[in-house]
Amino acid sequence: MNERILSPYCTMSDRWLFPALLAGAVFVVYGFTRYPIHGGGLDSAEFQIAGKILGVTHPTGYPLYCLTGRLLASLPLGSLAVRMTLFSTLALVLALVFLAVSIRRITDSTGTAAVAVLLLAVSPPAWNAATIAEVYALHALFVCILILTYLSHVDEQTTFTARRFAFTLGLALTHHLMALF
């Protein structure tokens, strides 16, 4: 049955059950396969330390990632390397959730969204971005949020969704200039 027809009759938990199950499964798999300490090369170590000391990484500096890393550095959860790697894992899992919701919104098919997102989740680039401390997972999260926000604006055509899109794009540009494309 068409999910848009059923949506007024579905509870919020019915609509978010699939993304929640997807997020839980992918987070567990990525969590068990992440680099345990300093892994992923020199950039990964640079990003782990830059968040702790509020340093500037190689160009463009990735200010949003460093500020978020500073917040994570204050949490009492394992080593700094573990916290920063878990940040990448969480960012990519959330990106996959937003992408799944976007695909389901476009195709009206939970099965299509599940297959597409799970295939992306196990691809080497996505797996790599989720298991090391790097900026790509946060960039993917912003791109997926922008896609879903754009779809919301197309459906609703309100000033609020246009402002939400502009705010998200501005925030994404503080992280990575590729969000402009």
Side-chain angles (χ1 to χ4, degrees), residues 23 87 94:
F87 173 55
L94 288 174

Side-chain angles (χ1 to χ4, degrees), residues 1-22:
M1 244 175 132
N2 190 334
E3 290 178 20
R4 289 193 183 186
I5 293 171
L6 290 177
S7 63
Y9 306 106
C10 294
T11 64
M12 185 61 95
S13 63
D14 292 339
R15 282 185 259 162
W16 287 98
L17 181 62
F18 160 66
L21 290 174
L22 174 78

Side-chain angles (χ1 to χ4, degrees), residues 23 101 123 163:
V101 171
S123 70
R163 288 181 182 161

Side-chain angles (χ1 to χ4, degrees), residues 46-70:
E46 178 185 17
F47 287 120
Q48 291 168 355
I49 294 168
K52 173 89 172 154
I53 63 171
L54 279 179
V56 177
T57 61
H58 59 277
T60 62
Y62 305 101
L64 186 62
Y65 187 88
C66 291
L67 287 172
T68 309
R70 178 66 178 166

